[in-house]
Amino acid sequence: MEEAFDLPADEAVPGEKRKIIQPTCLNDPKLMNLMEVLVDWINATLKAEHIVVKSLEEDLFDGLVLHHLLGTLASEFLPVEEIAVTTVAQIRKLGVILVALNSKLGVSDKTAKWSVALIHSKDLLATLHLLVSMVKRFQPDLALPPNVSVEVLSVEVNRAGIKSDKLFEHITEGQSGSDSVGGKDSEKEDLIDQLMLLEPHKISAFKQAILHFVNKNMSPLGLQVTEMEKQFADGVILLLLIGQLEGFYLPLSEFTLSPSSDPEMLHNVTLALEMLSDRNIEVDDVDPQDIVSHDVKATLRVLYALFKKHKSK
């Protein structure tokens, strides 16, 4: 659904895209629970330093808490001022911290769901994405509330004005055995997990069926996939497959045709998942990094979502 959306003139930056959590979601029990868990985690981590956080947006925007978390969790102590008072100093400090954090988290500026501008502007969605990624990287045994998602307003400023779309964005992934709401969603989330519990020959048969579907649609480009996990890891064939199935041409300037590093691969895969989301092709519980890391379940989830929509072709 596309609709007009008004922003103050001084906030409307041409080419800017922004995601805003719908106010009604702020009272969602799952979201509130996640925020409480993250606050408790930060306070427990920084207890020895006598730092107490009460609000994620209000207490993290200036970089002080993130700096101490980076030092405690990753032993990364940066040469930045302890307390930045002015806006310029805070933005400069955040920039140094996020460069180091992104490196530890294995993301680039292009693939990260947060930025200096978003964190400093107290953007809750960006702050949550950053903290969840930090928990997964530095304390993976911490049990985060599963299946937390929010309705967001995706706002884009272009020459024609400002347009927006409403969509759902996942903040935490599902967990095996967790309580999901809605029978159809539960089936989608459980199908691949259930498949991986079958005998190896049945898993192989399913993978071969998906590969047949893929190669049938990639043959016009003269491409063939024989190793599912490896050949989709850099995102190139995945992007070309989506273009073939959805009937569009993706300019080479939008992605890296011959990626040679993890950040370039991550950018390609992230772009592919965003394209699926834009076309209402739902892929649950898939982190772009999992595909880059040759995770068979994540790769199958994406390909099966495409298969379900286009199998009739």
Side-chain angles (χ1 to χ4, degrees), residues 240-258:
L240 295 175
L241 176 63
I242 296 171
Q244 282 290 98
L245 293 171
E246 294 291 313
F248 67 90
Y249 172 76
L250 185 65
L252 295 178
S253 59
E254 294 291 323
F255 68 104
T256 304
L257 185 59
S258 300

Side-chain angles (χ1 to χ4, degrees), residues 31 58 109 119 124 175 185 200-201 255-256 279 312:
L31 179 62
E58 296 293 335
D109 289 343
I119 299 298
L124 177 58
Q175 295 178 357
D185 288 339
H201 72 276
F255 68 104
T256 304
R279 287 160 177 76
S312 62

Side-chain angles (χ1 to χ4, degrees), residues 92-148:
R92 182 173 60 244
K93 179 178 179 178
L94 268 176
V96 175
I97 293 169
L98 287 186
V99 166
L101 258 179
N102 289 350
S103 177
K104 295 289 184 181
L105 297 175
V107 300
S108 66
D109 289 343
K110 291 182 178 180
T111 59
K113 296 180 179 179
W114 54 86
S115 66
V116 172
L118 289 174
I119 299 298
H120 190 262
S121 65
K122 304 179 183 180
D123 185 284
L124 177 58
L125 183 61
T127 303
L128 287 171
H129 278 308
L130 173 58
L131 291 174
V132 167
S133 293
M134 291 176 68
V135 169
K136 290 171 64 178
R137 169 64 179 83
F138 299 115
Q139 197 168 342
D141 58 333
L142 179 67
L144 294 176
N147 300 311
V148 178

